[in-house]
Amino acid sequence: MSKSVVGFVGLDEVSLELAASLVHSGYAVQAFETASHVMDGFSKLGGKKCANLMDTGKGVNALVILISHVDQINDLFYGDDGVLKGLPKDIVIIIHSTIFPAHIQKLGKSLAGNSLSYAYYLFFILHRDLETFAFICFSGLPICWFSADFPLDDYQMENVVDMYVLKAVSEVLKGKVMIISSGISESTTRARTFLSAMGEKLFVFEGDVGAGRCAFFLAVDADLHLLKSKMVIELLEGIHFVASLEAMSLGAQAGIHPWIIYDIISNAAGNSWKLPEIQVARMAGAAETSDEVLGYLTDLEGRSITKGTITALLPFSSVTIDLFPPDMSKITDRSTTKGYTRAAKPGVFKNYVPHLLRGNQSTNHLLNAFIQNLGIVLEMAKSLIFPLPLLAVAHQQILAGSSHGVKDDADAIFLKVWEKLCGVNIIDAANAKAYNPEEQASQLSTKSKTVKRVGFIGLGAMGFGMATHLLKSNFSVLGFDVYKPTLSRFESEGGFPGSSPAEVSKDVDVLVIMVTNEYQAESVLYGDNGAVAALPSGASIILSSTVSPAFVSQLERRLHNEQKNLKLVDAPVSGGVKRASEGTLTIMASGADEALEHAGSVLSALSEKLYIINGGCGAGSGVKMINQLLAGVHIASAAEAMAFGARLGLDTRLLFDVITNSAGTSWMFENRGPHMVENDYTPLSALDIFVKDLGIVSRECSSRRVPLHVSNVAHQLFLSGSAAGWGRIDDAAVVKVYETLTGVKVEGKPHASSKETVLRSLPSEWAMDPTEDIIKLTQKSLKTLVVLDDDPTGTQTVHDIDVLTEWSIKALSEQFSKRLKCFFILTNSRAMSSEKASALIREICSNLSAAAKTVVNTDYTVVLRGDSTLRGHFPEARTYAAVSVIGEMDAWIICPFFLQGGRYTIGDIHYVADSERLIPAGETEFAKDASFGYKSSNLREWVEEKTGGRISASSVASISIQLLRNGGPEAVCERLCSLKKGTTCIVNAASERDMAVFAAGMIQAELKGKSFLCRTAASFVSTRIGIIPKAPLVPSDLVKSRERAGGLIVVGSYVPKTTKQVEELLLQRGHSLKRIEVSVDKIAMTSIEEREEEINQTAEIADVYLRSGKDTLIMTSRLLVVGKTASESLEINSKVSSALVEIVRMITTRPRYILAKGGITSSDLATKALEAKRAKVVGQALAGVPLWQLGPESKHPGVPYIVFPGNVGDSKAVAEVVKRWTHPGRLSTKELLLNAEKGGYAVGAFNVYNLEGVEAVVSAAEEQRSPAILQIHPSALKQGGVPLVACCISAAEQATVPITVHFDHGSSKQELLEILELGFDSIMVDGSHLPFRENIAYTKYISVLAHTKNLMVEAELGRLSGTEDDLTVEDYEARLTDVNQANEFIDATGIDALAVCIGNVHGKYPASGPKLRLDLLKDLYGLSSKRGVHVVLHGASGLPKDIVEECIKLGVRKFNVNTEVRKAYMDSLVSSQKDLVHVMTSAKEAMKAVIAEKMHLFGSAGKAS
């Protein structure tokens, strides 16, 4: 098949880069461009040259049109040879333009043929002021609309989008192509695959336009979106700029060198660091010097730009600068008059501050730009009635600086103006002699004293990590915390817990204080059992809490007065919980030289970056205070920005992504922004901490007489949040202040796309199904596919495949010797730490290598099966470990496509289907996993994220859907063979056919000698070995007998999907399930005794429920308990999993089936609780839900084991499976007789009167594996009542063979009406005593009512003589069944079974024996069977064997038995028994013997299913 084709009308350097990306993704490209040197480069890419514009559009799927000047529009679109001539209307048109949006709008009017505002167009043309127009639009001011229709049928197009092409500035994507596009949903969906293939990062704004507006209106609509984003970014830049000035002012006043502050903050949480590269202008000509360059530069509206006033109007540019490289000629394209240049636009703290400190006068232009741009933003907020307190005060400070600068000295540099306003001297401080804090720290390490014992007070989130890292660094650590469970955890890590601050301070060399605030520090040092009194002379105290410099200075004086030579090190820390546990904190330490040297080894062990700050105790806290000033302001400004963006109507998820790639970002914005967008305020750092930290800033600025307006407003915002009750949740909750005041919601909706629309936009699938080829190629390659599965759910697409839970060389050799095409090894590595997982994979791969050598001609391919939602270890713990043993691969293949789970990879973005929507994986609940969370949905970026940047996104190769569907297996093979050795390659797929095409191509590449290591989801495995799917299995496919025990359902998974599924399970099946909830707090967070008690109690209760036949749900409490770090969360998960293992191991009852919910849970239960060493994957219980049968060595051999992944199925999925596998419902009496008809046997209906009779029937039936009917006569019901009926129904439900309950001889209408409500399975309507017509009417009336309740109806025609339960029919009253009447009777009444009278009697037959009319029976069966009516024979007691057998041959399917069983019961009472229990037992056994004999006689023994 031919490739998808993209045409380019006009080329420049950027277009060439886009074209190269398309070719790389498997597209064909063609272009028309007059510049020969550009076309030469295009040809080298493999592009096709077109002779004219019209040729460019021939055969394309998408057309990229470059418009670099307004004059080009007519020629391009409306000339005699314009590009739109003859172009199909459904082609995707992508406008790549840098001209003013008004011209785009005019073009759109022509293309769509719709009415647009003439006044709107004039506004642009006359004023050329996009910002003011945006303001008018956003403010809701009226615009006069004027109709100006154009007949443009020849040019009307259906799918038009625009795009801006930028170079991203984020740390991950810096310098890579970023595309921002907009259009209506249908158009952007169709264009997405092309846009994604052209750039590394795609942002799509969907325009909200009415049906009467043209598609091209979106060009302006996009600009409005981008302008809104631009305003939010300017808001952030303005606030960050003023906050930076405030931070430098406070630092200078505190005596801290400004360059020291700059160096430290640039690497800390207070930083805002971005340095974007943006396209700022179009060159109007060539130049030799920078002055000439500036003379020729024009802005994007065609206006001249003079030196020092370059205004970048593209998105993310807001400042006017003149910070050019020394030689501007190096960045000009001198070969064409339409070249492009890029200039660096400073970020905020990291990039503005150096210029300020150096006295760069260009900041005057920065000042003017801020005043203008921030003023526009504030006017917009005013029109929207939206408060921006931080921006307002920042704007006022910049205004104050501007007014002073102009009034006093037009040439004054900005920082001098600021100094004058604030009364500080930053420039002189910056020019003072500097020192290197890191170099001083390095010198300290050589002088540090040996420390043996360390006391540690405060084992909170940060403190616990710090203390445990000291343990790992071979320090002896004594720890104290007020929270006792934390002390227990600390002890389990190898620490020595203490009961008070004093106890952990005795005989220590160094004491570390890591408490929340100054009050707590005072308390642990000088309160009851305080540390100071217990410390030995000469000890050092490291105070790492965030406190004010004044507190530290005062504390040093107090310690000096103790006369114990106690030394103090002021050492606040920064870096977060994870870095605390890793010993990679940033520490800002100050103090006397002696104190620093004494505590140096501890400081070095805890830090990656250690700064020694001159100035004595308090200087370190001064730097931390400044960092917290910036960090607090950045969180508050992030809240203000995101709330304002929400008010502007922007998609906050998309806005966050855009800002992170702009100059408005900061460390705190990127860290806390997701909390706001996700509305997740799980306290990673409580809001009240910034109430405290900014409170310190407020006190210090007051005492030092430094006005800090922005910082104090930020403090007030945090105070407001605390006052509202949000102090203990995450500090990102400061955004709630804005939400509460204005009513906006910052929480972003997932970027969902219509699944149908997206899939429909893709090319047609490859025509030929490669499955047969795969099977042949697999046989030819003779390689065994060995799947290392990180949990058991990877078997969700295969059947008839072995799973091993052990990997000894012997076991693997046995498996290889079977010459199987595939087998799984269950590693459960996802439940392990990275280090343990690596060791495990190395061990398995080593054993595989050794085992393969023991079997002749054995070769194998390893696949690492992982989660389709991208959770789990990658790549360090698995891929690197495997490669270290089996050798370097030609490529790593990443393929998470999984159709049954709704996982699609399209345009390198991995999606999770939610009903009919596709949601990027990074925006789903799975991406928030406590242990394996991630942010990126684009798999290239995900690889970079997961490898910590070691593999860059740009180096990751891709197999596109276009290549799969247009090129087929051969193209895949060619692409794989062309990859550089060791390349990581992701696979796009949206169907099973796509997967098959890739698998076939990969096998071809392997046959050519290439080797690959795959990290895939489940779909790849089944496709790779050519498995043909089969329908989900049902219990009858596996379970051949009715087990009495209940099924066991164990739920350990905590993903929200599982919780919803459990809720639905309880809603649907709660009435029949027994539920036991296991407290996670007791099994994971408390004492060993409480844990064991909870486990034992759960197992005992579950055993009782299962034995009684009840399906039993064991579930962990649904409140998610997470650790402070990923490793801590894994530890909690491990404790929960091990508890479930112990519970299941202790259950002695063999369950009818086992359902384990969650990957880790199902793995641990199979291997540890059930001790399975191997199992057979027999199929699926539901699409994507594996069904195993446990091996013979397991605790419960052959028991069906349902492995239910945590991330599969909708909310009803678990309930659906449990419903299928729940205790099989009782067969109806009609079903029993249908089975008898098919099997040629009869079912006995045995009259019962008491518990002994019921037990005798059920016990005999179970022993003989026979169906049976418990039958209650009216006289028995009169004596036993409803309890007798309930006893029969309960016994039938608990039986392991089919048992039903029947009411016999219902001769009273009122009695039968009551019977219908008691739960019988069938009834006999006995109108035999009535005249024929009355019998019909009576039987029909009851039959209609009974059928509404699904009860089988039996009726009698004719009349039996004899006595039954004191009811006697004399011989003269008896009459045989009339065949003709029977025909009419059956048709008129609708009965299901006919009790016939053919000479049979109730009670005893005469001495001469029974005389049955078998010929009549034959005729009656003949007419009954044609109508689906079963024949019943009452009076089976006393019938000889030969007659019974003949009756069965002639169609009798139900025999009523009473007399012989009653007699056996009565006879048993004659024998003397010592106790009533013995009497009951004797009676039961006597009846059971008769019943068993009858079952053999009727042929039903062994027929139970």
Side-chain angles (χ1 to χ4, degrees):
M1 294 181 69
S2 59
K3 297 182 178 181
S4 291
V5 182
V6 178
F8 284 83
V9 176
L11 288 173
D12 59 8
E13 295 301 324
V14 175
S15 302
L16 283 177
E17 194 168 347
L18 303 181
S21 294
L22 285 167
V23 171
H24 193 66
S25 298
Y27 289 86
V29 293
Q30 59 192 46
F32 172 73
E33 167 61 49
T34 57
S36 59
H37 73 284
V38 179
M39 285 305 294
D40 290 342
F42 184 72
S43 297
K44 290 178 181 177
L45 295 174
K48 172 187 173 184
K49 293 182 181 181
C50 295
N52 54 52
L53 291 174
M54 291 181 63
D55 283 351
T56 312
K58 291 180 179 178
V60 300
N61 303 93
L63 192 61
V64 181
I65 303 176
L66 174 66
I67 307 175
S68 56
H69 196 279
V70 66
D71 294 340
Q72 296 175 312
I73 292 177
N74 282 334
D75 291 338
L76 285 173
F77 291 92
Y78 310 124
D80 293 337
D81 297 319
V83 70
L84 298 182
K85 280 288 184 70
L87 198 66
K89 304 301 182 186
D90 61 348
I91 293 299
V92 175
I93 303 292
I94 302 172
I95 301 299
H96 178 201
S97 172
T98 58
I99 67 173
F100 189 58
H103 304 304
I104 300 294
Q105 173 64 20
K106 184 179 179 181
L107 174 62
K109 181 164 59 176
S110 299
L111 286 174
N114 289 329
S115 299
L116 294 171
S117 168
Y118 186 67
Y120 178 37
Y121 173 65
L122 282 182
F123 189 92
F124 273 106
I125 297 303
L126 295 177
H127 298 282
R128 304 171 67 152
D129 188 344
L130 189 57
E131 290 180 342
T132 307
F133 176 72
F135 168 66
I136 291 174
C137 290
F138 301 156
S139 303
L141 298 179
I143 296 177
C144 176
W145 295 95
F146 180 83
S147 181
D149 294 326
F150 292 82
L152 299 161
D153 293 342
D154 291 343
Y155 305 107
Q156 197 167 353
M157 304 301 296
E158 295 176 1
N159 298 296
V160 185
V161 299
D162 66 348
M163 73 172 176
Y164 284 102
V165 182
L166 312 166
K167 288 301 180 75
V169 299
S170 68
E171 295 295 313
V172 174
L173 295 174
K174 188 169 182 179
K176 295 167 187 174
V177 172
M178 181 170 73
I179 295 175
I180 301 174
S181 179
S182 73
I184 59 175
S185 178
E186 184 77 20
S187 298
T188 56
T189 298
R190 289 206 58 199
R192 185 181 289 272
T193 52
F194 306 107
L195 295 168
S196 296
M198 286 192 279
E200 295 286 338
K201 187 73 174 178
L202 174 64
F203 298 108
V204 176
F205 287 102
E206 291 185 358
D208 184 16
V209 295
R213 294 168 70 184
C214 70
F216 245 85
F217 184 81
L218 291 167
V220 172
D221 188 63
D223 277 312
L224 300 186
H225 279 300
L226 297 171
L227 270 173
K228 292 175 183 179
S229 301
K230 181 172 178 281
M231 287 183 176
V232 177
I233 292 162
E234 286 169 344
L235 175 154
L236 286 164
E237 288 186 85
I239 296 169
H240 293 175
F241 176 68
V242 175
S244 298
L245 292 170
E246 290 189 353
M248 301 308 292
S249 300
L250 183 59
Q253 198 74 345
I256 304 170
H257 200 292
W259 284 108
I260 302 300
I261 294 173
Y262 172 76
D263 288 339
I264 294 174
I265 300 301
S266 293
N267 294 290
N271 188 24
S272 51
W273 64 79
K274 298 305 176 192
L275 180 61
E277 285 189 337
I278 56 169
Q279 179 178 296
V280 297
R282 178 169 48 85
M283 290 297 298
E288 295 294 337
T289 68
S290 59
D291 284 343
E292 286 180 302
V293 169
L294 290 170
Y296 285 117
L297 282 171
T298 59
D299 71 3
L300 299 177
E301 297 182 40
R303 295 178 296 207
S304 296
I305 297 179
T306 59
K307 186 174 182 178
T309 59
I310 295 177
T311 304
L313 291 180
L314 280 182
F316 322 140
S317 59
S318 58
V319 217
T320 304
I321 59 172
D322 68 353
L323 303 174
F324 295 112
D327 185 359
M328 279 294 293
S329 63
K330 290 182 179 178
I331 61 168
T332 62
D333 183 351
R334 302 179 59 194
S335 61
T336 175
T337 59
K338 292 182 180 179
Y340 290 85
T341 182
R342 284 176 169 80
K345 181 175 81 61
V348 181
F349 184 87
K350 189 169 183 178
N351 298 293
Y352 289 163
V353 169
H355 298 292
L356 291 170
L357 295 180
R358 294 189 183 106
N360 192 324
Q361 295 190 29
S362 64
T363 49
N364 292 324
H365 305 300
L366 174 67
L367 183 69
N368 293 330
F370 269 141
I371 291 170
Q372 178 184 353
N373 295 336
L374 300 186
I376 292 171
V377 177
L378 287 167
E379 285 299 315
M380 172 66 70
K382 189 190 302 181
S383 71
L384 296 174
I385 315 177
F386 193 91
L388 299 175
L390 288 168
L391 183 65
V393 73
H395 186 238
Q396 290 300 308
Q397 287 191 266
I398 296 172
L399 278 174
S402 174
S403 62
H404 278 69
V406 172
K407 178 180 177 182
D408 298 335
D409 183 357
D411 296 323
I413 65 171
F414 183 73
L415 196 54
K416 286 187 177 180
V417 177
W418 181 269
E419 289 180 330
K420 195 178 299 182
L421 284 172
C422 297
V424 296
N425 195 332
I426 300 174
I427 295 176
D428 287 349
N431 290 331
K433 184 179 180 181
Y435 62 94
N436 188 327
E438 287 185 274
E439 187 177 312
Q440 293 190 166
S442 178
Q443 294 171 356
L444 175 67
S445 63
T446 62
K447 303 176 183 177
S448 297
K449 310 298 182 187
T450 300
V451 172
K452 294 181 180 179
R453 287 168 61 86
V454 177
F456 206 107
I457 299 176
L459 300 173
M462 292 284 287
F464 188 86
M466 293 167 68
T468 52
H469 183 75
L470 288 175
L471 288 170
K472 295 173 188 174
S473 301
N474 297 319
F475 289 93
S476 175
V477 186
L478 295 79
F480 170 75
D481 195 274
V482 293
Y483 188 53
K484 302 306 179 189
T486 296
L487 282 178
S488 299
R489 286 177 52 227
F490 179 65
E491 185 175 18
S492 68
E493 294 287 338
F496 299 95
S499 60
S500 68
E503 185 175 343
V504 299
S505 301
K506 295 176 182 177
D507 301 323
V508 298
D509 302 304
V510 174
L511 176 66
V512 182
I513 307 293
M514 190 58 190
V515 294
T516 303
N517 50 37
E518 294 174 3
Y519 172 80
Q520 291 183 3
E522 172 74 20
S523 176
V524 299
L525 288 169
Y526 289 100
D528 292 340
N529 290 312
V532 171
L535 279 169
S537 296
S540 294
I541 299 174
I542 298 176
L543 181 59
S544 289
S545 305
T546 301
V547 296
S548 67
F551 177 84
V552 178
S553 299
Q554 183 186 29
L555 178 60
E556 185 181 39
R557 290 193 294 271
R558 292 172 68 186
L559 291 173
H560 181 74
N561 293 335
E562 292 290 330
Q563 302 297 317
K564 295 171 64 176
N565 191 28
L566 297 178
K567 296 173 281 291
L568 178 64
V569 175
D570 174 24
V573 301
S574 178
V577 174
K578 182 179 179 182
R579 292 179 64 183
S581 64
E582 295 171 347
T584 56
L585 290 168
T586 295
I587 299 181
M588 297 143 277
S590 62
D593 291 345
E594 183 185 3
L596 290 167
E597 291 172 9
H598 191 252
S601 60
V602 176
L603 295 171
S604 297
L606 292 171
S607 62
E608 180 180 52
K609 286 186 175 293
L610 175 60
Y611 298 98
I612 302 300
I613 311 298
N614 292 349
C617 274
S621 285
V623 175
K624 178 63 185 291
M625 172 183 67
I626 294 161
N627 182 72
Q628 295 305 92
L629 178 159
L630 288 165
V633 170
H634 290 168
I635 294 173
S637 63
E640 186 161 298
M642 295 303 290
F644 184 48
R647 180 64 183 86
L648 289 172
L650 292 171
D651 179 332
T652 53
R653 285 182 183 271
L654 190 53
L655 176 64
F656 172 78
D657 288 342
V658 169
I659 291 174
T660 56
N661 288 282
S662 80
T665 194
S666 66
W667 192 94
M668 280 299 185
F669 179 87
E670 295 187 17
N671 189 268
R672 301 305 201 268
H675 302 190
M676 301 175 190
V677 173
E678 299 293 344
N679 194 31
D680 180 3
Y681 301 109
T682 304
L684 302 181
S685 177
L687 184 144
D688 275 344
I689 290 176
F690 274 102
V691 172
K692 176 203 62 156
D693 290 355
L694 289 180
I696 292 171
V697 171
S698 181
R699 289 200 308 272
E700 286 292 315
C701 77
S702 178
S703 66
R704 297 181 185 278
R705 300 291 188 268
V706 180
L708 303 179
H709 300 82
V710 167
S711 306
N712 278 285
V713 170
H715 185 219
Q716 292 301 311
L717 289 169
F718 283 105
L719 278 170
S720 299
S722 184
W726 306 319
R728 291 183 178 272
I729 61 177
D730 194 74
D731 50 32
V734 70
V735 75
K736 287 176 169 287
V737 175
Y738 291 91
E739 290 182 327
T740 303
L741 285 173
T742 65
V744 302
K745 290 295 180 185
V746 171
E747 181 179 8
K749 295 179 180 179
H751 295 148
S753 303
S754 164
K755 182 170 73 173
E756 180 185 0
T757 302
V758 171
L759 296 181
R760 195 173 64 243
S761 72
L762 300 174
S764 299
E765 291 181 347
W766 182 251
M768 295 177 292
D769 184 356
T771 303
E772 289 299 324
D773 291 337
I774 290 172
I775 294 172
K776 293 176 183 177
L777 289 170
T778 300
Q779 293 170 346
K780 183 177 180 181
S781 72
L782 298 176
K783 277 190 175 184
T784 299
L785 197 71
V786 181
V787 184
L788 307 188
D789 199 354
D790 70 356
D791 72 26
T793 63
T795 56
Q796 53 205 152
T797 60
V798 300
H799 55 80
D800 303 312
I801 295 291
D802 288 346
V803 179
L804 274 62
T805 65
E806 63 167 345
W807 41 85
S808 66
I809 295 175
K810 179 182 177 182
L812 294 174
S813 296
E814 290 175 2
Q815 204 67 19
F816 279 133
S817 65
K818 296 178 183 178
R819 302 295 180 187
L820 301 171
K821 59 184 176 181
C822 175
F823 64 89
F824 280 70
I825 299 176
L826 177 56
T827 68
N828 202 26
S829 59
R830 200 187 309 171
M832 302 175 183
S833 66
S834 180
E835 295 78 11
K836 289 181 179 178
S838 293
L840 176 65
I841 297 300
R842 279 193 293 270
E843 178 189 346
I844 293 173
C845 288
S846 296
N847 288 2
L848 280 169
S849 178
K853 293 174 183 176
T854 66
V855 181
V856 178
N857 295 326
T858 295
D859 199 1
Y860 61 94
T861 296
V862 171
V863 170
L864 302 175
R865 206 295 305 185
D867 180 51
S868 63
T869 59
L870 307 181
R871 297 170 298 166
H873 296 293
F874 173 81
E876 293 85 353
R878 303 181 77 209
T879 312
Y880 289 155
V883 167
S884 69
V885 177
I886 62 180
E888 185 68 35
M889 298 288 107
D890 286 295
W892 293 355
I893 305 298
I894 298 175
C895 182
F897 166 78
F898 175 40
L899 183 67
Q900 292 84 346
R903 322 287 192 247
Y904 302 84
T905 308
I906 302 169
D908 297 343
I909 295 174
H910 194 53
Y911 294 96
V912 174
D914 180 7
S915 185
E916 294 306 310
R917 304 181 307 155
L918 291 180
I919 300 174
E923 297 175 19
T924 64
E925 64 202 26
F926 308 111
K928 301 175 188 175
D929 188 274
S931 302
F932 301 110
Y934 56 91
K935 296 179 181 178
S936 303
S937 302
N938 186 298
L939 290 182
R940 295 173 184 244
E941 297 169 16
W942 177 77
V943 170
E944 184 168 64
E945 179 184 342
K946 283 294 183 180
T947 60
R950 285 185 295 280
I951 301 175
S952 66
S954 60
S955 70
V956 177
S958 172
I959 304 288
S960 69
I961 287 179
Q962 287 69 29
L963 186 143
L964 292 168
R965 298 189 173 191
N966 296 332
E970 289 74 19
V972 172
C973 175
E974 182 182 344
R975 176 82 169 113
L976 291 174
C977 290
S978 69
L979 295 177
K980 182 181 176 182
K981 194 173 184 68
T983 296
T984 299
C985 180
I986 61 176
V987 180
N988 289 273
S991 70
E992 294 284 15
R993 180 65 56 84
D994 292 339
M995 200 76 269
V997 170
F998 173 75
M1002 177 179 160
I1003 296 172
Q1004 289 181 18
E1006 287 180 326
L1007 291 173
K1008 291 184 178 183
K1010 295 293 182 180
S1011 58
F1012 306 101
L1013 186 61
C1014 303
R1015 192 281 188 198
T1016 79
S1019 289
F1020 173 81
V1021 177
S1022 54
T1023 305
R1024 174 64 177 73
I1025 56 178
I1027 283 185
I1028 307 298
K1030 68 178 183 180
L1033 300 176
V1034 294
S1036 59
D1037 294 326
L1038 298 178
V1039 183
K1040 300 305 181 186
S1041 63
R1042 289 166 55 97
E1043 296 279 351
R1044 181 186 293 242
L1048 177 61
I1049 305 151
V1050 184
V1051 177
S1053 170
Y1054 276 97
V1055 296
K1057 181 185 285 286
T1058 292
T1059 299
K1060 291 176 185 176
Q1061 289 172 335
V1062 170
E1063 290 171 354
E1064 185 66 28
L1065 171 64
L1066 294 172
L1067 184 66
Q1068 289 192 27
R1069 310 296 303 169
H1071 63 283
S1072 60
L1073 277 178
K1074 290 296 184 180
R1075 169 188 174 187
I1076 309 173
E1077 185 169 296
V1078 182
S1079 169
V1080 171
D1081 185 61
K1082 289 183 179 178
I1083 61 176
M1085 306 300 288
T1086 55
S1087 66
I1088 295 175
E1089 291 75 20
E1090 286 183 274
R1091 172 185 166 90
E1092 289 180 352
E1093 182 182 355
E1094 183 76 358
I1095 289 170
N1096 293 337
Q1097 182 176 316
T1098 301
E1100 289 172 7
I1101 296 172
D1103 241 337
V1104 172
Y1105 289 157
L1106 291 171
R1107 278 199 301 272
S1108 67
K1110 296 295 182 181
D1111 283 359
T1112 303
L1113 168 64
I1114 298 176
M1115 58 182 287
T1116 50
S1117 51
R1118 292 291 91 191
L1119 179 62
L1120 179 60
V1121 179
V1122 298
K1124 298 182 177 69
T1125 64
S1127 58
E1128 199 171 300
S1129 293
L1130 264 179
E1131 181 187 349
I1132 293 172
N1133 292 345
S1134 178
K1135 287 184 178 179
V1136 171
S1137 184
S1138 65
L1140 292 175
V1141 165
E1142 290 180 52
I1143 290 169
V1144 174
R1145 184 186 289 141
M1146 292 173 67
I1147 293 173
T1148 57
T1149 305
R1150 174 189 169 94
R1152 194 173 65 261
Y1153 69 92
I1154 301 172
L1155 187 155
K1157 186 73 171 79
I1160 293 175
T1161 302
S1162 54
S1163 175
D1164 283 351
L1165 293 188
T1167 58
K1168 300 174 184 176
L1170 303 174
E1171 300 172 357
K1173 292 184 178 180
R1174 62 179 60 238
K1176 174 74 77 176
V1177 184
V1178 292
Q1180 282 71 48
L1182 193 70
V1185 180
L1187 176 58
W1188 297 2
Q1189 273 194 314
L1190 300 178
E1193 78 294 332
S1194 68
K1195 185 176 181 180
H1196 300 304
V1199 165
Y1201 187 63
I1202 302 169
V1203 180
F1204 209 121
N1207 59 8
V1208 165
D1210 60 17
S1211 60
K1212 298 179 181 179
V1214 174
E1216 183 180 343
V1217 172
V1218 171
K1219 183 179 179 180
R1220 291 181 185 179
W1221 284 82
T1222 195
H1223 201 297
R1226 290 190 290 124
L1227 295 178
S1228 65
T1229 306
K1230 188 171 184 177
E1231 288 172 316
L1232 254 63
L1233 300 187
L1234 279 170
N1235 290 340
E1237 179 71 28
K1238 293 175 184 176
Y1241 60 89
V1243 178
F1246 303 95
N1247 283 36
V1248 294
Y1249 300 86
N1250 54 19
L1251 177 62
E1252 296 96 292
V1254 173
E1255 287 189 335
V1257 174
V1258 173
S1259 180
E1262 289 183 335
E1263 287 184 10
Q1264 303 304 319
R1265 307 308 301 166
S1266 171
I1269 299 171
L1270 294 168
Q1271 190 162 269
I1272 299 177
H1273 192 275
S1275 58
L1277 180 65
K1278 183 177 180 180
Q1279 298 299 320
V1282 174
L1284 176 61
V1285 179
C1287 176
C1288 289
I1289 292 173
S1290 179
E1293 288 177 343
Q1294 299 299 317
T1296 62
V1297 292
I1299 303 285
T1300 64
V1301 184
H1302 179 77
F1303 183 71
D1304 198 25
H1305 288 291
S1307 57
S1308 162
K1309 180 185 291 187
Q1310 185 60 41
E1311 180 182 51
L1312 281 174
L1313 291 175
E1314 294 175 4
I1315 290 298
L1316 291 178
E1317 305 302 323
L1318 295 183
F1320 283 93
D1321 298 296
S1322 53
I1323 58 172
M1324 177 193 174
V1325 184
D1326 188 0
S1328 61
H1329 60 287
L1330 299 172
F1332 180 64
R1333 295 296 167 192
E1334 290 183 27
N1335 188 2
I1336 288 178
Y1338 171 56
T1339 303
K1340 180 178 180 180
Y1341 175 79
I1342 298 299
S1343 179
V1344 170
L1345 293 177
H1347 284 156
T1348 64
K1349 297 181 179 295
N1350 296 318
L1351 271 66
M1352 190 200 84
V1353 177
E1354 173 189 332
E1356 187 172 78
L1357 189 61
R1359 202 163 194 216
L1360 267 68
S1361 64
T1363 299
E1364 183 174 27
D1365 290 343
D1366 296 330
L1367 296 177
T1368 301
V1369 176
E1370 300 297 340
D1371 288 343
Y1372 64 85
E1373 295 179 285
R1375 57 184 180 273
L1376 300 181
T1377 302
D1378 182 275
V1379 174
N1380 294 324
Q1381 284 188 338
N1383 193 45
E1384 182 182 355
F1385 187 79
I1386 291 171
D1387 288 343
T1389 59
I1391 60 173
D1392 305 293
L1394 179 66
V1396 297
C1397 300
I1398 57 171
N1400 46 317
V1401 301
H1402 286 134
K1404 294 182 178 181
Y1405 284 94
S1408 59
K1411 297 179 181 179
L1412 302 188
R1413 288 278 308 277
L1414 297 180
D1415 58 328
L1416 177 58
L1417 175 61
K1418 182 178 180 180
D1419 292 341
L1420 289 170
Y1421 174 73
L1423 70 90
S1424 298
S1425 61
K1426 292 178 182 178
R1427 292 166 173 77
V1429 173
H1430 303 288
V1431 174
V1432 178
L1433 194 69
H1434 289 214
S1437 293
L1439 287 177
K1441 178 181 178 182
D1442 58 334
I1443 291 181
V1444 169
E1445 290 175 345
E1446 187 64 25
C1447 286
I1448 292 172
K1449 287 181 182 179
L1450 292 175
V1452 173
R1453 297 296 169 243
K1454 172 175 177 273
F1455 284 107
N1456 283 15
V1457 180
N1458 185 13
T1459 303
E1460 289 180 72
V1461 178
R1462 283 160 54 96
K1463 183 177 183 304
Y1465 180 83
M1466 298 300 294
D1467 290 348
S1468 72
L1469 299 178
V1470 175
S1471 60
S1472 60
Q1473 301 288 342
K1474 295 181 180 179
D1475 191 88
L1476 178 60
V1477 173
H1478 299 144
V1479 172
M1480 295 171 66
T1481 301
S1482 174
K1484 173 185 169 181
E1485 292 301 319
M1487 289 186 286
K1488 188 170 80 171
V1490 174
I1491 294 166
E1493 181 186 346
K1494 294 296 180 184
M1495 288 174 174
H1496 281 278
L1497 179 61
F1498 300 154
S1500 64
K1503 298 298 194 299
S1505 60

